[in-house]
Amino acid sequence: MRRSVLTAVATSAALLAASTVLVAAPADAHGWAPPGSGSGRGSTLTPRTHFTMAPDGSSGATQGGEGIPNIDSVKKTIATYYGDPGTGLADRTDSPYVREVRSVIDRETRQLRRIHDAAVRHGQRPAIVLDTDDTTLWTYDMEVADMHFVFDPARQDEWVQDQRFPAVPSMVGFVDRAEAMGFTVFGLTGRNDDQETATLQNLAKVGYTAFQEDRFFTKWTGKGASQQPSYVHCATATCTTVEYKALTRKHIEQDLGYDIALNVGDQWSDLQGGYADRSVKLPNPTYFLPSADLPGVREPRLTPRTRFTMAADGSSGATQGGEGIPNIDSVKKTIATYYGDPGTGIAAKTDSPYIREMRRLVAQQAPVVARQCSVARHQHRNPAIVLDADDTTLWTYDMEVADMHFVFDPARQDEWVQDERFPATPSMRSLVSVAERAGCTVIGLTGRNDDQQRATIANLNAVGYPRFSAVQHGTRTYYTKWTGTGASQQPSYVSCAAAKCTTIEYKSQTRAHIESRAGGGYDVVANVGDQYSDLIGGSADRSIKLPNPTYYLP
C-alpha cells in the first residue's frame, strides 16, 4: 500500500529543518516504489508521476489521493497522444497515436503471409476477425469533442446512423492486404443489430471493401427478430462482452469451418476467451469495456497495464504509448472507490478511503500547526493560517461528479456557490478550529471570484467555520479573485507576466501581501490547499497539500 503524498514545508528550526519537504510514499504491496520516493527530504511541491492502478478501480481503496492519476492530467495526456490541440478533435495525419497504430500494423502486416500460409498448410481456411469501434472505425472525436468522455448511447446512435466515423489510421490498407492474401474477413462488434446497416455503410464509405453482411456480427437487441443466437450461452441473463465475442468466434471456427488466424481489437475484452491463433491489441485509453474471461480460462498476457508514468502537464502522451496512459474509465472508477461513491456521483459522507486519509492527515498536522500558531502568537508575529476554498474547506465532489461528470461548467458551479450547497471538507473544521484556538487568524484565499465571496463565506459559516469573514482586526481576511468588471479589478500588489494571471501568481503574491504591512502584517505559519498551485510561490512557513484527484489547476 502506498500512502498519499503529505507535503510540509517548515522554516522554523524548532519544528523542522528549514525549507524541507516531507513526502510519505513507501513501496506498494508489490514492492514497487516510484523513483525518487522515500523519506522525501529535498523533495519539491510537485505532483506524483508514478502510479499503480488496477483497471477495475480497486486501487482507490489503497493508493491514497496522490497515488491516483489526476483526471485532468489524464485528459491532457490523452489529448497529447491523439494530437488534439484542445478542441476534442484528433489529428488525422500525424500524432503519437497515429504513429503507434502504424507501427503495430506494419509489424502485423509483415506476419500476414506467414500466418496465412501456415493455416493453409494445415488444411484450414484462414480468417481475420476485427472489432469496429477504435479497431476499424475511429471514435475519438465523438468521445471527446461531443461527449467529453461521458458516454451517451443516444448521441452514439446518431453518429452511427449518420456514418460519421473516419477509419482507424492504417487499418483500411491492412484489411485490404489481408483479404487480397486470402484471409476471409469477419466483423465482430458490440454495436447492435439496429446499427448493422449503417456500420457497414460507414465502413464502405471510408474505404473498406472486405466487410460483408453475412460475415458481420452485431449484438442482439432482444426485440423482434433480434434475439440471442443459439451458439451463445451466458452465465446470467445479460451476456458479458467476452461471452458474446468469444462464443461468436467459437461459432465461426466450429460451425462455419474457419480458422481465426488473427483477432484484432482495441479492448482486452475483444480478445479474451480464446478461439483465435493470434490476438492483436490496438491502443485506446479513451474508454474501457471490462469483462470477465470465460470460466476456467486464464490469459494473463491479455490484461491491462497496472503501472504508469504520467506527467501532470500531459506531456507523457508523446512518449508513453496508448497502453502506458491510464485509461480514463479506470481512473473514474478508482476515484469513485476512493470517495466511497457507489456509482451515483455522490461521495460517502461518513466513511471512505478519502475520509480516512483526511482524518489521518489532519491528526498529524493539527498539533504542528497549533504549535506554530502558539509560538508565533507569543512572539507577537501576528500568526495566520491561509486556506483555499474548494476541496480544502468546502467539498466539491458531488458537484464535480454527479452534476458535471468531470466536465467543469462555470455556470453550474456558480449556481452551487450562490446556493451555498457545499459541505465541509472532511476533518478540516477541526484543523481550522485548532489553529484559531492556538492564536492564528483564519484567512481565506480562493480562486472563486469577488461576485462569489459573500455566498462562499456564508456557506463556510453555515457548515461549521464560524471564523471566516471578509474583514478581521480591520484588515481583509478573505481573498477572492477579481472579475475585471466595475470595482472588481486586479489589485496593485499582484503583477503578472501576461494579461491573465496564473493561479500561482495570484495566490503567492496575495500571500506576500498578507504578510506585508499593507495586508495586515501577518505571519503565514501554514498554507493549506488541495492543488500544488495553491502552495507554490512561498510566503508561508509551512504548506500542507490535501489529496484531490478530481481536477488539476496548474
Side-chain angles (χ1 to χ4, degrees):
M1 181 186 299
R2 183 183 298 124
R3 293 168 57 197
S4 72
V5 175
L6 173 61
T7 307
V9 180
T11 58
S12 171
L15 296 171
L16 291 170
S19 301
T20 61
V21 180
L22 303 182
V23 181
D28 65 14
H30 302 287
W32 184 76
S37 69
S39 66
R41 294 285 178 178
S43 299
T44 56
L45 288 169
T46 55
R48 274 265 291 273
T49 57
H50 290 75
F51 305 91
T52 297
M53 183 186 74
D56 63 357
S58 58
S59 304
T62 60
Q63 289 300 312
E66 295 297 320
I68 299 172
N70 186 286
I71 195 163
D72 279 352
S73 294
V74 171
K75 288 180 180 181
K76 289 180 181 178
T77 305
I78 290 172
T80 299
Y81 178 58
Y82 284 91
D84 170 3
T87 60
L89 302 175
D91 187 322
R92 303 280 179 87
T93 57
D94 184 59
S95 68
Y97 170 73
V98 169
R99 294 191 293 274
E100 183 173 16
V101 173
R102 183 187 303 133
S103 175
V104 171
I105 295 308
D106 286 349
R107 182 191 70 214
E108 293 305 316
T109 299
R110 290 192 294 270
Q111 302 293 324
L112 279 178
R113 175 57 66 186
R114 179 185 63 79
I115 295 168
H116 173 272
D117 292 351
V120 171
R121 279 197 305 274
H122 288 87
Q124 297 167 332
R125 300 161 68 195
I128 178 172
V129 171
L130 302 109
D131 170 57
T132 299
D133 290 312
D134 296 286
T135 299
T136 52
L137 295 177
W138 193 6
T139 73
Y140 183 89
D141 295 356
M142 177 193 75
E143 291 284 347
V144 186
D146 192 340
M147 297 184 185
H148 308 287
F149 294 112
V150 183
F151 185 72
D152 180 338
R155 291 293 297 148
Q156 186 253 11
D157 191 60
E158 290 181 29
W159 278 69
V160 170
Q161 303 301 340
D162 292 344
Q163 304 164 32
R164 295 174 59 182
F165 299 101
V168 168
S170 300
M171 285 302 293
V172 171
F174 177 70
V175 174
D176 284 349
R177 283 188 287 274
E179 184 188 37
M181 204 172 286
F183 286 91
T184 300
V185 176
F186 287 87
L188 175 54
T189 176
R191 293 187 181 187
N192 66 48
D193 290 346
D194 291 344
Q195 298 175 324
E196 180 175 343
T197 298
T199 300
L200 286 165
Q201 290 173 349
N202 195 158
L203 288 161
K205 185 165 71 174
V206 298
Y208 294 100
T209 59
F211 291 105
Q212 304 298 322
E213 184 176 358
D214 61 344
R215 299 196 301 270
F216 199 84
F217 292 87
T218 44
K219 200 169 185 183
W220 56 93
T221 64
K223 298 176 182 178
S226 178
Q227 299 296 324
Q228 182 175 329
S230 59
Y231 54 79
V232 176
H233 304 278
C234 303
T236 62
T238 302
C239 292
T240 69
T241 299
V242 172
E243 285 174 327
Y244 158 55
K245 291 204 168 189
L247 295 176
T248 301
R249 291 195 301 273
K250 179 181 179 182
H251 167 67
I252 292 170
E253 290 202 322
Q254 296 187 0
D255 300 333
L256 303 184
Y258 291 90
D259 171 53
I260 299 175
L262 187 63
N263 179 31
V264 187
D266 67 289
Q267 300 292 312
W268 296 107
S269 53
D270 296 332
L271 310 177
Q272 293 167 317
Y275 304 104
D277 302 337
R278 181 182 178 88
S279 295
V280 176
K281 171 71 167 63
L282 298 185
N284 181 11
T286 66
Y287 55 88
F288 179 59
L289 303 176
S291 180
D293 213 332
L294 295 182
V297 177
R298 285 190 72 255
E299 299 168 300
R301 70 182 186 84
L302 296 179
T303 54
R305 278 262 292 270
T306 58
R307 295 177 183 176
F308 305 91
T309 298
M310 184 187 74
D313 63 0
S315 58
S316 303
T319 59
Q320 288 301 311
E323 294 301 317
I325 298 171
N327 187 285
I328 195 162
D329 280 351
S330 294
V331 171
K332 288 180 179 180
K333 289 181 179 179
T334 305
I335 290 172
T337 299
Y338 178 59
Y339 285 92
D341 170 3
T344 60
I346 304 295
K349 300 302 188 295
T350 56
D351 184 59
S352 69
Y354 170 69
I355 289 172
R356 294 191 293 274
E357 183 173 15
M358 285 294 299
R359 189 181 299 131
R360 290 192 300 270
L361 191 155
V362 168
Q364 183 180 19
Q365 293 299 308
V368 181
V369 171
R371 182 179 176 187
Q372 287 179 297
C373 292
S374 179
V375 168
R377 178 171 59 85
H378 286 298
Q379 294 175 349
H380 306 290
R381 299 204 322 260
N382 198 16
I385 179 173
V386 170
L387 302 108
D388 171 57
D390 292 314
D391 296 288
T392 299
T393 51
L394 296 174
W395 191 9
T396 74
Y397 183 89
D398 295 356
M399 177 193 74
E400 291 284 347
V401 187
D403 193 339
M404 298 183 184
H405 308 287
F406 294 112
V407 184
F408 185 71
D409 181 338
R412 290 293 298 148
Q413 186 253 11
D414 191 60
E415 289 182 30
W416 278 69
V417 170
Q418 303 302 341
D419 291 346
E420 306 168 20
R421 294 174 61 182
F422 300 101
T425 300
S427 296
M428 284 303 293
R429 286 175 296 189
S430 297
L431 179 64
V432 172
S433 177
V434 164
E436 192 273 330
R437 290 199 307 270
C440 271
T441 298
V442 177
I443 298 176
L445 173 55
T446 173
R448 294 186 181 187
N449 65 49
D450 289 346
D451 291 344
Q452 298 174 323
Q453 178 171 303
R454 182 208 57 78
T456 299
I457 293 173
N459 194 161
L460 287 161
N461 296 161
V463 298
Y465 299 101
R467 296 299 178 182
F468 279 112
S469 61
V471 176
Q472 298 179 60
H473 317 303
T475 58
R476 183 177 179 182
T477 50
Y478 207 90
Y479 290 85
T480 42
K481 201 168 185 184
W482 56 94
T483 65
T485 303
S488 178
Q489 300 296 325
Q490 181 174 327
S492 59
Y493 54 79
V494 175
S495 345
C496 304
K500 186 175 181 180
C501 293
T502 67
T503 300
I504 292 173
E505 287 173 327
Y506 157 55
K507 292 206 166 185
S508 64
Q509 291 180 62
T510 301
R511 290 194 302 273
H513 170 71
I514 291 167
E515 292 200 317
S516 73
R517 180 175 295 180
Y522 293 98
D523 174 18
V524 178
V525 299
N527 178 34
V528 188
D530 66 288
Q531 300 291 313
Y532 285 98
S533 53
D534 296 332
L535 309 176
I536 297 170
S539 297
D541 299 339
R542 182 180 187 83
S543 293
I544 301 171
K545 171 68 170 63
L546 306 185
N548 181 11
T550 66
Y551 56 87
Y552 178 63
L553 303 175

